[in-house]
Amino acid sequence: MHPRTTGAHTTSDVLVVGGGIIGLVTAWRASRHGLRVAVADPEPGGGAARVAAGMLAAVTELHYGEETLLGLNLESARRYPDFVAELREASGGMDVGYRACGTLAVALDADDRAHLRELHALQQRSGLRSEWLTGRECRRLEPMLAPGVRGGLRVDGDHQVDPRRLAAALVAACERAGVVFHRARAERLVVAGGRAAGAVLDDGAEPAAGQVVLAAGSLSGRLGGVPREVLPPVRPVKGQVLRLSVPRAYAPFLSRTVRAVVRGSQVYLVPRENGELVVGATSEELGWDTTVTAGGVYELLRDAHELVPGITELPLTETRAGLRPGSPDNAPLLGPTALPGLHLATGHYRNGVLLTPVTGDVMATVLTTGELPEQARAFAPGRFAPPAASPPTSPSLSPAGVS
Ligand SMILES: Cc1cc2nc3c(=O)[nH]c(=O)nc-3n(C[C@H](O)[C@H](O)[C@H](O)COP(=O)(O)OP(=O)(O)OC[C@H]3O[C@@H](n4cnc5c(N)ncnc54)[C@H](O)[C@@H]3O)c2cc1C
């Protein structure tokens, strides 16, 4: 079903503010459930996916204190193969570069090795599959690794996808499903009768909707007109990434994702089937700055070179910086807010690509039934509600910047 259109004003069941991969997957899945959906974004399919490496790293991204998130990450990783197949069909045959290649996390010195051993123990306690390898065994798997590698963890279940192709396929799937795109920025949420009812866009359009999903990535906390109490506490976490290309004569340079912690910083090399090698990523708390800096590029090349010395031979094809939508507990905010009709799908931080399939399904369920599915209850936005806002008294919620 398609939204009703009258000039610049449309009415749909759902308006999604933000057309990054999270907003797009929400729109696509909701439209598959029979809802009439519109998306507002000046550049749908852009956002952090343009920069992201696309690791589907439920196991190697496990951090202390993130065991709840682990369950959602694993569930999304499990759904990936079917999701990719369905998206290929829905997008008219687009390939998103899903590659079941596995990951090798290695240690370069005694400190790194101790850290990796602890991570291995945590993974085992969490029931995850990973295998400890000696340095020699690591190099047998990946001959381009530095001779100094002291050991590593082989994780055969952590794969990859190409986020740019994923975003492009989601745009195509949405278009084919009849999702309406407003290529404009939302300036303000419209609240009518105590409910979210649409948005005012910077091109003058005012799309109305029965429900609104705020999926504006690191900018989700900045939309005008949203009551302060329900604004999501997301912040931008800058990441710089390099892209190199592996000439045919050097292939296969790496056969799987290789990663390490070097002097306390994460570095990873993600080899794509098309010869691209993604090297990332810095992690910087600098607001909405997306400048690529000499220091960032230097650190990434220095650390990646320690891991795989041969990278200095490869052509450097691109440098970019993007913004991860970080939340206070590094987990996403999914589902209804205290303002009736307003939902959140944001805060996916460093796992947004991994969490795309499960987010789409969770949001489609919420938008059609009003209920968060069991596996998403721990990620309800209410966990960050300020004490004063509970119990919620939605009709008197005050818009940000107004009172
Ligand atoms: C360097 C880096 C590496 C990463 N690596 C990985 C990885 O390996 N694996 C993984 O799973 N994840 C990774 N991520 C994280 C992942 O990319 C993000 O979590 C995910 O892309 C977030 O998607 P999003 O749609 O929520 O937000 P975004 O991608 O930020 O998209 C938000 C969209 O909202 C739009 N928007 C903003 N404000 C408005 C407004 N007012 N009106 C209309 N539209 C608006 C923007 O134009 C944008 O298109 C990485 C991220 C970075 C930066």
Short mmCIF file of all heavy atoms in Angstrom, two decimals, residues 16-24 40-57 61 163 184-187 201 215-220 222-223 237-241 268 270 281-282 320-325 345-356, ligand 1:
data_model
loop_
_atom_site.label_atom_id
_atom_site.label_comp_id
_atom_site.label_asym_id
_atom_site.label_seq_id
_atom_site.Cartn_x
_atom_site.Cartn_y
_atom_site.Cartn_z
N VAL A 16 9.67 7.48 8.79
CA VAL A 16 10.98 7.18 9.38
C VAL A 16 11.88 8.39 9.13
O VAL A 16 12.09 8.79 7.98
CB VAL A 16 11.61 5.92 8.74
CG1 VAL A 16 12.96 5.62 9.40
CG2 VAL A 16 10.67 4.72 8.87
N VAL A 17 12.37 8.98 10.20
CA VAL A 17 13.29 10.13 10.07
C VAL A 17 14.70 9.58 10.10
O VAL A 17 15.18 9.08 11.12
CB VAL A 17 13.07 11.14 11.21
CG1 VAL A 17 14.11 12.26 11.14
CG2 VAL A 17 11.66 11.72 11.15
N GLY A 18 15.38 9.63 8.95
CA GLY A 18 16.73 9.08 8.82
C GLY A 18 16.73 7.85 7.94
O GLY A 18 16.05 6.86 8.25
N GLY A 19 17.47 7.92 6.85
CA GLY A 19 17.54 6.80 5.91
C GLY A 19 18.93 6.22 5.83
O GLY A 19 19.44 5.93 4.75
N GLY A 20 19.59 6.04 6.99
CA GLY A 20 20.78 5.20 7.05
C GLY A 20 20.32 3.74 7.03
O GLY A 20 19.12 3.46 6.85
N ILE A 21 21.23 2.81 7.23
CA ILE A 21 20.81 1.40 7.13
C ILE A 21 19.73 1.05 8.15
O ILE A 21 18.87 0.22 7.86
CB ILE A 21 22.02 0.42 7.25
CG1 ILE A 21 22.91 0.76 8.44
CG2 ILE A 21 22.82 0.40 5.96
CD1 ILE A 21 24.06 -0.22 8.65
N ILE A 22 19.74 1.69 9.31
CA ILE A 22 18.74 1.34 10.34
C ILE A 22 17.36 1.87 9.96
O ILE A 22 16.36 1.14 10.05
CB ILE A 22 19.21 1.87 11.72
CG1 ILE A 22 20.52 1.16 12.14
CG2 ILE A 22 18.14 1.70 12.78
CD1 ILE A 22 20.45 -0.36 12.21
N GLY A 23 17.29 3.12 9.51
CA GLY A 23 16.00 3.66 9.06
C GLY A 23 15.49 2.90 7.84
O GLY A 23 14.29 2.60 7.73
N LEU A 24 16.40 2.57 6.93
CA LEU A 24 15.98 1.88 5.70
C LEU A 24 15.46 0.48 5.98
O LEU A 24 14.45 0.05 5.43
CB LEU A 24 17.16 1.79 4.72
CG LEU A 24 17.59 3.12 4.08
CD1 LEU A 24 18.92 2.94 3.34
CD2 LEU A 24 16.52 3.65 3.12
N ALA A 40 12.27 10.19 5.49
CA ALA A 40 12.83 11.54 5.25
C ALA A 40 14.33 11.49 5.48
O ALA A 40 14.78 11.10 6.56
CB ALA A 40 12.18 12.55 6.19
N ASP A 41 15.09 11.85 4.47
CA ASP A 41 16.55 11.92 4.58
C ASP A 41 17.07 12.64 3.34
O ASP A 41 16.69 12.28 2.23
CB ASP A 41 17.16 10.51 4.66
CG ASP A 41 18.63 10.54 5.07
OD1 ASP A 41 19.38 11.41 4.57
OD2 ASP A 41 19.04 9.70 5.87
N PRO A 42 17.94 13.67 3.52
CA PRO A 42 18.47 14.34 2.33
C PRO A 42 19.29 13.39 1.46
O PRO A 42 19.37 13.57 0.24
CB PRO A 42 19.37 15.45 2.89
CG PRO A 42 19.44 15.25 4.37
CD PRO A 42 18.40 14.26 4.77
N GLU A 43 19.87 12.36 2.05
CA GLU A 43 20.74 11.45 1.30
C GLU A 43 20.51 10.02 1.77
O GLU A 43 21.36 9.44 2.47
CB GLU A 43 22.19 11.80 1.59
CG GLU A 43 22.93 12.42 0.45
CD GLU A 43 24.41 12.50 0.78
OE1 GLU A 43 24.76 13.20 1.74
OE2 GLU A 43 25.18 11.83 0.09
N PRO A 44 19.39 9.41 1.41
CA PRO A 44 19.15 8.05 1.88
C PRO A 44 20.24 7.09 1.41
O PRO A 44 20.72 7.22 0.28
CB PRO A 44 17.79 7.69 1.26
CG PRO A 44 17.42 8.77 0.33
CD PRO A 44 18.32 9.93 0.55
N GLY A 45 20.63 6.17 2.30
CA GLY A 45 21.69 5.22 1.93
C GLY A 45 23.08 5.75 2.23
O GLY A 45 24.08 5.09 1.95
N GLY A 46 23.16 6.96 2.81
CA GLY A 46 24.47 7.52 3.18
C GLY A 46 24.79 7.14 4.62
O GLY A 46 24.64 5.99 5.01
N GLY A 47 25.20 8.13 5.39
CA GLY A 47 25.45 7.87 6.82
C GLY A 47 26.70 7.03 7.07
O GLY A 47 27.59 6.92 6.21
N ALA A 48 26.73 6.42 8.25
CA ALA A 48 27.93 5.72 8.70
C ALA A 48 28.25 4.50 7.84
O ALA A 48 29.41 4.06 7.78
CB ALA A 48 27.75 5.30 10.16
N ALA A 49 27.23 3.94 7.16
CA ALA A 49 27.48 2.76 6.33
C ALA A 49 28.44 3.05 5.20
O ALA A 49 29.04 2.15 4.63
CB ALA A 49 26.16 2.23 5.78
N ARG A 50 28.59 4.32 4.85
CA ARG A 50 29.52 4.69 3.79
C ARG A 50 30.97 4.50 4.23
O ARG A 50 31.88 4.42 3.43
CB ARG A 50 29.28 6.15 3.43
CG ARG A 50 29.48 6.41 1.99
CD ARG A 50 29.01 7.76 1.62
NE ARG A 50 27.68 7.74 1.05
CZ ARG A 50 26.99 8.83 0.77
NH1 ARG A 50 27.49 10.00 1.05
NH2 ARG A 50 25.81 8.75 0.22
N VAL A 51 31.15 4.47 5.54
CA VAL A 51 32.50 4.39 6.09
C VAL A 51 32.77 3.01 6.70
O VAL A 51 33.88 2.49 6.64
CB VAL A 51 32.69 5.48 7.19
CG1 VAL A 51 34.10 5.47 7.73
CG2 VAL A 51 32.32 6.84 6.63
N ALA A 52 31.74 2.41 7.28
CA ALA A 52 31.91 1.21 8.12
C ALA A 52 32.59 0.06 7.39
O ALA A 52 32.46 -0.10 6.17
CB ALA A 52 30.54 0.75 8.61
N ALA A 53 33.30 -0.75 8.18
CA ALA A 53 34.02 -1.90 7.63
C ALA A 53 33.06 -3.05 7.31
O ALA A 53 33.32 -3.83 6.40
CB ALA A 53 35.06 -2.37 8.63
N GLY A 54 31.99 -3.18 8.09
CA GLY A 54 31.03 -4.24 7.82
C GLY A 54 31.36 -5.58 8.46
O GLY A 54 30.89 -6.63 8.00
N MET A 55 32.14 -5.55 9.54
CA MET A 55 32.39 -6.80 10.25
C MET A 55 31.10 -7.22 10.96
O MET A 55 30.42 -6.39 11.56
CB MET A 55 33.49 -6.61 11.29
CG MET A 55 34.84 -6.32 10.68
SD MET A 55 36.08 -6.10 11.96
CE MET A 55 35.52 -4.60 12.76
N LEU A 56 30.80 -8.49 10.89
CA LEU A 56 29.65 -9.04 11.61
C LEU A 56 30.25 -9.82 12.78
O LEU A 56 30.34 -11.03 12.78
CB LEU A 56 28.83 -9.93 10.67
CG LEU A 56 28.44 -9.24 9.34
CD1 LEU A 56 27.71 -10.20 8.42
CD2 LEU A 56 27.59 -7.99 9.60
N ALA A 57 30.71 -9.04 13.78
CA ALA A 57 31.65 -9.57 14.76
C ALA A 57 31.02 -9.74 16.13
O ALA A 57 31.47 -9.15 17.11
CB ALA A 57 32.86 -8.64 14.82
N GLU A 61 33.75 -8.87 18.93
CA GLU A 61 33.42 -7.55 19.50
C GLU A 61 32.84 -7.67 20.92
O GLU A 61 32.34 -6.69 21.46
CB GLU A 61 32.41 -6.82 18.61
CG GLU A 61 33.01 -6.13 17.40
CD GLU A 61 33.82 -4.87 17.74
OE1 GLU A 61 33.55 -4.25 18.77
OE2 GLU A 61 34.72 -4.54 16.96
N PRO A 163 28.95 -2.70 3.67
CA PRO A 163 27.86 -1.81 4.12
C PRO A 163 27.35 -0.87 3.03
O PRO A 163 26.17 -0.52 3.03
CB PRO A 163 28.49 -1.00 5.26
CG PRO A 163 29.67 -1.80 5.69
CD PRO A 163 30.16 -2.53 4.47
N ALA A 184 14.89 15.26 2.02
CA ALA A 184 14.99 16.52 2.77
C ALA A 184 15.26 16.18 4.23
O ALA A 184 15.01 15.05 4.68
CB ALA A 184 13.68 17.30 2.65
N ARG A 185 15.75 17.17 4.94
CA ARG A 185 16.06 16.99 6.37
C ARG A 185 14.83 17.31 7.21
O ARG A 185 14.13 18.29 6.93
CB ARG A 185 17.21 17.96 6.74
CG ARG A 185 17.87 17.70 8.08
CD ARG A 185 19.05 18.65 8.26
NE ARG A 185 18.59 20.02 8.43
CZ ARG A 185 18.19 20.55 9.58
NH1 ARG A 185 18.21 19.85 10.69
NH2 ARG A 185 17.78 21.81 9.64
N ALA A 186 14.57 16.51 8.21
CA ALA A 186 13.48 16.82 9.13
C ALA A 186 13.96 17.88 10.11
O ALA A 186 15.01 17.71 10.74
CB ALA A 186 13.03 15.57 9.87
N GLU A 187 13.22 18.99 10.19
CA GLU A 187 13.62 20.06 11.12
C GLU A 187 12.95 19.87 12.47
O GLU A 187 13.54 20.20 13.50
CB GLU A 187 13.21 21.42 10.55
CG GLU A 187 14.09 21.82 9.38
CD GLU A 187 13.76 23.19 8.85
OE1 GLU A 187 12.58 23.62 8.98
OE2 GLU A 187 14.67 23.83 8.31
N LEU A 201 9.72 19.31 7.24
CA LEU A 201 11.00 19.11 6.55
C LEU A 201 11.56 20.44 6.06
O LEU A 201 10.82 21.42 5.91
CB LEU A 201 10.83 18.15 5.37
CG LEU A 201 10.10 16.83 5.67
CD1 LEU A 201 10.15 15.92 4.44
CD2 LEU A 201 10.70 16.12 6.88
N ALA A 215 15.34 7.63 13.50
CA ALA A 215 16.47 6.76 13.18
C ALA A 215 17.55 7.60 12.50
O ALA A 215 18.03 7.26 11.43
CB ALA A 215 16.02 5.62 12.26
N ALA A 216 17.90 8.70 13.14
CA ALA A 216 18.80 9.67 12.52
C ALA A 216 20.25 9.49 12.98
O ALA A 216 21.03 10.44 12.98
CB ALA A 216 18.30 11.09 12.80
N GLY A 217 20.62 8.28 13.37
CA GLY A 217 22.01 8.00 13.72
C GLY A 217 22.50 8.90 14.83
O GLY A 217 21.77 9.17 15.81
N SER A 218 23.72 9.41 14.69
CA SER A 218 24.32 10.22 15.76
C SER A 218 23.60 11.56 15.94
O SER A 218 23.85 12.27 16.91
CB SER A 218 25.80 10.45 15.47
OG SER A 218 25.94 11.17 14.27
N LEU A 219 22.69 11.90 14.99
CA LEU A 219 21.94 13.16 15.11
C LEU A 219 20.56 12.93 15.74
O LEU A 219 19.75 13.86 15.82
CB LEU A 219 21.78 13.81 13.74
CG LEU A 219 23.06 14.47 13.20
CD1 LEU A 219 22.96 14.71 11.69
CD2 LEU A 219 23.34 15.79 13.92
N SER A 220 20.29 11.72 16.19
CA SER A 220 18.94 11.40 16.69
C SER A 220 18.53 12.24 17.91
O SER A 220 17.35 12.46 18.13
CB SER A 220 18.84 9.91 17.05
OG SER A 220 19.04 9.13 15.91
N ARG A 222 19.02 15.33 18.25
CA ARG A 222 19.00 16.76 17.90
C ARG A 222 17.75 17.20 17.15
O ARG A 222 17.68 18.35 16.73
CB ARG A 222 20.21 17.09 17.01
CG ARG A 222 21.53 16.54 17.54
CD ARG A 222 22.38 17.54 18.19
NE ARG A 222 22.81 18.58 17.28
CZ ARG A 222 23.72 19.51 17.60
NH1 ARG A 222 24.24 19.50 18.79
NH2 ARG A 222 24.08 20.42 16.73
N LEU A 223 16.80 16.30 16.95
CA LEU A 223 15.61 16.71 16.19
C LEU A 223 14.76 17.67 17.02
O LEU A 223 14.42 17.38 18.17
CB LEU A 223 14.79 15.46 15.81
CG LEU A 223 13.54 15.74 14.95
CD1 LEU A 223 13.93 16.29 13.57
CD2 LEU A 223 12.71 14.46 14.78
N VAL A 237 30.58 9.10 17.73
CA VAL A 237 31.93 8.59 18.02
C VAL A 237 32.63 8.41 16.67
O VAL A 237 32.29 7.53 15.88
CB VAL A 237 31.89 7.26 18.80
CG1 VAL A 237 33.32 6.80 19.11
CG2 VAL A 237 31.08 7.42 20.09
N LYS A 238 33.58 9.30 16.44
CA LYS A 238 34.23 9.37 15.12
C LYS A 238 35.13 8.17 14.87
O LYS A 238 35.84 7.71 15.77
CB LYS A 238 35.06 10.65 15.07
CG LYS A 238 35.89 10.84 13.81
CD LYS A 238 36.65 12.16 13.89
CE LYS A 238 37.61 12.33 12.73
NZ LYS A 238 38.35 13.61 12.84
N GLY A 239 35.09 7.67 13.63
CA GLY A 239 36.00 6.60 13.24
C GLY A 239 36.60 6.91 11.88
O GLY A 239 35.87 7.22 10.94
N GLN A 240 37.91 6.85 11.79
CA GLN A 240 38.58 7.03 10.49
C GLN A 240 38.94 5.66 9.94
O GLN A 240 39.33 4.76 10.68
CB GLN A 240 39.84 7.87 10.66
CG GLN A 240 39.55 9.25 11.25
CD GLN A 240 40.77 10.18 11.20
OE1 GLN A 240 41.46 10.28 10.20
NE2 GLN A 240 41.00 10.87 12.31
N VAL A 241 38.81 5.54 8.63
CA VAL A 241 39.00 4.26 7.95
C VAL A 241 39.77 4.48 6.65
O VAL A 241 39.59 5.51 6.00
CB VAL A 241 37.60 3.64 7.65
CG1 VAL A 241 37.69 2.52 6.64
CG2 VAL A 241 36.95 3.12 8.94
N TYR A 268 41.89 -3.30 12.48
CA TYR A 268 41.42 -4.48 11.75
C TYR A 268 41.63 -4.30 10.26
O TYR A 268 41.69 -3.17 9.75
CB TYR A 268 39.96 -4.80 12.08
CG TYR A 268 38.99 -3.63 11.99
CD1 TYR A 268 38.60 -3.12 10.76
CD2 TYR A 268 38.47 -3.05 13.14
CE1 TYR A 268 37.71 -2.06 10.68
CE2 TYR A 268 37.58 -1.99 13.07
CZ TYR A 268 37.21 -1.50 11.83
OH TYR A 268 36.34 -0.44 11.75
N VAL A 270 39.95 -5.83 6.78
CA VAL A 270 38.81 -6.61 6.27
C VAL A 270 38.96 -6.77 4.75
O VAL A 270 38.81 -5.79 4.01
CB VAL A 270 37.47 -5.90 6.61
CG1 VAL A 270 36.28 -6.74 6.14
CG2 VAL A 270 37.37 -5.64 8.11
N ALA A 281 39.97 1.00 12.77
CA ALA A 281 39.33 2.31 12.72
C ALA A 281 39.72 3.04 13.99
O ALA A 281 39.93 2.42 15.03
CB ALA A 281 37.82 2.17 12.67
N THR A 282 39.83 4.35 13.88
CA THR A 282 40.08 5.14 15.09
C THR A 282 38.77 5.24 15.88
O THR A 282 37.68 4.96 15.36
CB THR A 282 40.55 6.57 14.75
OG1 THR A 282 39.50 7.23 14.05
CG2 THR A 282 41.82 6.55 13.90
N ARG A 320 38.49 8.08 4.87
CA ARG A 320 37.18 8.64 5.23
C ARG A 320 36.98 8.60 6.73
O ARG A 320 37.56 7.74 7.40
CB ARG A 320 36.07 7.80 4.61
CG ARG A 320 35.27 8.55 3.59
CD ARG A 320 34.18 7.66 3.07
NE ARG A 320 33.93 7.92 1.66
CZ ARG A 320 32.93 8.67 1.22
NH1 ARG A 320 32.08 9.20 2.06
NH2 ARG A 320 32.75 8.87 -0.06
N ALA A 321 36.11 9.45 7.21
CA ALA A 321 35.72 9.38 8.62
C ALA A 321 34.20 9.37 8.71
O ALA A 321 33.52 10.00 7.91
CB ALA A 321 36.27 10.57 9.38
N GLY A 322 33.69 8.63 9.68
CA GLY A 322 32.24 8.57 9.88
C GLY A 322 31.93 8.61 11.36
O GLY A 322 32.84 8.61 12.21
N LEU A 323 30.65 8.65 11.66
CA LEU A 323 30.21 8.82 13.06
C LEU A 323 29.36 7.64 13.50
O LEU A 323 28.29 7.38 12.92
CB LEU A 323 29.42 10.12 13.19
CG LEU A 323 30.20 11.38 12.79
CD1 LEU A 323 29.26 12.58 12.73
CD2 LEU A 323 31.35 11.63 13.75
N ARG A 324 29.82 6.94 14.52
CA ARG A 324 29.03 5.85 15.11
C ARG A 324 28.02 6.49 16.07
O ARG A 324 28.41 7.34 16.87
CB ARG A 324 29.90 4.89 15.90
CG ARG A 324 31.11 4.32 15.13
CD ARG A 324 32.00 3.56 16.10
NE ARG A 324 33.20 3.05 15.48
CZ ARG A 324 34.37 3.71 15.44
NH1 ARG A 324 34.47 4.93 15.95
NH2 ARG A 324 35.42 3.16 14.88
N PRO A 325 26.76 6.05 16.02
CA PRO A 325 25.80 6.59 17.00
C PRO A 325 25.95 5.85 18.34
O PRO A 325 25.42 4.76 18.52
CB PRO A 325 24.45 6.31 16.35
CG PRO A 325 24.69 5.25 15.33
CD PRO A 325 26.14 5.15 15.05
N ALA A 345 14.91 4.01 16.83
CA ALA A 345 15.74 2.92 16.29
C ALA A 345 17.11 3.56 16.08
O ALA A 345 17.44 4.02 14.98
CB ALA A 345 15.17 2.38 14.98
N THR A 346 17.87 3.62 17.14
CA THR A 346 19.14 4.35 17.07
C THR A 346 20.10 3.84 18.15
O THR A 346 19.77 2.93 18.91
CB THR A 346 18.88 5.87 17.22
OG1 THR A 346 20.09 6.57 16.94
CG2 THR A 346 18.38 6.25 18.61
N GLY A 347 21.31 4.43 18.17
CA GLY A 347 22.29 4.07 19.20
C GLY A 347 23.00 2.75 18.93
O GLY A 347 23.52 2.12 19.85
N HIS A 348 23.09 2.34 17.66
CA HIS A 348 23.67 1.02 17.35
C HIS A 348 25.20 1.01 17.43
O HIS A 348 25.82 -0.03 17.26
CB HIS A 348 23.21 0.56 15.96
CG HIS A 348 21.76 0.20 15.89
ND1 HIS A 348 20.77 1.14 16.00
CD2 HIS A 348 21.14 -0.98 15.74
CE1 HIS A 348 19.60 0.54 15.92
NE2 HIS A 348 19.79 -0.74 15.76
N TYR A 349 25.78 2.17 17.63
CA TYR A 349 27.21 2.32 17.92
C TYR A 349 28.08 1.53 16.93
O TYR A 349 27.97 1.72 15.73
CB TYR A 349 27.47 1.92 19.37
CG TYR A 349 28.85 2.28 19.88
CD1 TYR A 349 29.50 3.43 19.46
CD2 TYR A 349 29.52 1.46 20.80
CE1 TYR A 349 30.77 3.75 19.93
CE2 TYR A 349 30.79 1.77 21.28
CZ TYR A 349 31.40 2.90 20.84
OH TYR A 349 32.65 3.22 21.30
N ARG A 350 28.91 0.61 17.41
CA ARG A 350 29.86 -0.03 16.50
C ARG A 350 29.31 -1.33 15.90
O ARG A 350 30.03 -2.05 15.20
CB ARG A 350 31.19 -0.30 17.20
CG ARG A 350 31.08 -1.02 18.50
CD ARG A 350 32.43 -1.37 19.10
NE ARG A 350 32.23 -2.49 19.98
CZ ARG A 350 31.87 -2.41 21.25
NH1 ARG A 350 31.74 -1.24 21.82
NH2 ARG A 350 31.65 -3.48 21.95
N ASN A 351 28.01 -1.64 16.16
CA ASN A 351 27.44 -2.89 15.65
C ASN A 351 26.22 -2.68 14.74
O ASN A 351 25.42 -3.60 14.57
CB ASN A 351 27.03 -3.79 16.82
CG ASN A 351 28.24 -4.37 17.53
OD1 ASN A 351 29.15 -4.91 16.88
ND2 ASN A 351 28.30 -4.24 18.84
N GLY A 352 26.08 -1.49 14.18
CA GLY A 352 24.86 -1.21 13.41
C GLY A 352 24.71 -2.09 12.18
O GLY A 352 23.58 -2.45 11.81
N VAL A 353 25.81 -2.42 11.53
CA VAL A 353 25.72 -3.27 10.33
C VAL A 353 25.30 -4.68 10.76
O VAL A 353 24.38 -5.27 10.20
CB VAL A 353 27.06 -3.29 9.57
CG1 VAL A 353 26.93 -4.13 8.32
CG2 VAL A 353 27.51 -1.87 9.23
N LEU A 354 25.96 -5.17 11.78
CA LEU A 354 25.61 -6.50 12.32
C LEU A 354 24.13 -6.54 12.73
O LEU A 354 23.42 -7.51 12.45
CB LEU A 354 26.51 -6.82 13.52
CG LEU A 354 26.13 -8.02 14.37
CD1 LEU A 354 26.15 -9.31 13.56
CD2 LEU A 354 27.06 -8.15 15.58
N LEU A 355 23.66 -5.48 13.38
CA LEU A 355 22.31 -5.50 13.97
C LEU A 355 21.20 -5.14 12.98
O LEU A 355 20.03 -5.10 13.35
CB LEU A 355 22.26 -4.54 15.17
CG LEU A 355 23.01 -5.02 16.42
CD1 LEU A 355 23.12 -3.91 17.46
CD2 LEU A 355 22.31 -6.24 17.03
N THR A 356 21.55 -4.91 11.72
CA THR A 356 20.53 -4.49 10.74
C THR A 356 19.38 -5.51 10.61
O THR A 356 18.20 -5.12 10.72
CB THR A 356 21.20 -4.19 9.38
OG1 THR A 356 22.07 -3.07 9.55
CG2 THR A 356 20.18 -3.87 8.31
C1 LIG B 1 34.41 3.86 11.21
C2 LIG B 1 33.22 3.01 11.45
C3 LIG B 1 33.34 1.63 11.38
C4 LIG B 1 32.24 0.81 11.63
N1 LIG B 1 32.38 -0.54 11.50
C5 LIG B 1 31.32 -1.34 11.74
C6 LIG B 1 31.44 -2.74 11.59
O1 LIG B 1 32.49 -3.26 11.20
N2 LIG B 1 30.36 -3.52 11.88
C7 LIG B 1 29.17 -2.99 12.30
O2 LIG B 1 28.23 -3.73 12.57
N3 LIG B 1 29.02 -1.63 12.43
C8 LIG B 1 30.06 -0.82 12.16
N4 LIG B 1 29.93 0.54 12.30
C9 LIG B 1 28.69 1.08 12.87
C10 LIG B 1 27.60 1.25 11.84
O3 LIG B 1 28.11 1.81 10.66
C11 LIG B 1 26.53 2.15 12.44
O4 LIG B 1 26.11 1.66 13.70
C12 LIG B 1 25.30 2.23 11.54
O5 LIG B 1 25.68 2.55 10.22
C13 LIG B 1 24.33 3.27 12.06
O6 LIG B 1 23.29 3.38 11.16
P1 LIG B 1 22.10 4.42 11.38
O7 LIG B 1 21.20 4.26 10.23
O8 LIG B 1 21.56 4.26 12.76
O9 LIG B 1 22.80 5.84 11.40
P2 LIG B 1 23.54 6.66 10.26
O10 LIG B 1 24.30 5.77 9.37
O11 LIG B 1 24.27 7.75 10.94
O12 LIG B 1 22.36 7.25 9.39
C14 LIG B 1 21.56 8.27 9.88
C15 LIG B 1 20.85 8.91 8.71
O13 LIG B 1 19.97 9.88 9.24
C16 LIG B 1 20.00 11.02 8.41
N5 LIG B 1 19.58 12.16 9.23
C17 LIG B 1 20.20 12.72 10.29
N6 LIG B 1 19.46 13.74 10.78
C18 LIG B 1 18.36 13.81 10.01
C19 LIG B 1 17.22 14.65 9.99
N7 LIG B 1 17.07 15.64 10.89
N8 LIG B 1 16.28 14.46 9.05
C20 LIG B 1 16.41 13.46 8.14
N9 LIG B 1 17.46 12.63 8.09
C21 LIG B 1 18.42 12.81 9.02
C22 LIG B 1 21.42 11.11 7.89
O14 LIG B 1 21.45 11.81 6.65
C23 LIG B 1 21.78 9.63 7.74
O15 LIG B 1 21.53 9.16 6.42
C24 LIG B 1 30.99 1.39 12.00
C25 LIG B 1 30.87 2.76 12.02
C26 LIG B 1 31.95 3.58 11.74
C27 LIG B 1 31.79 5.06 11.75
#
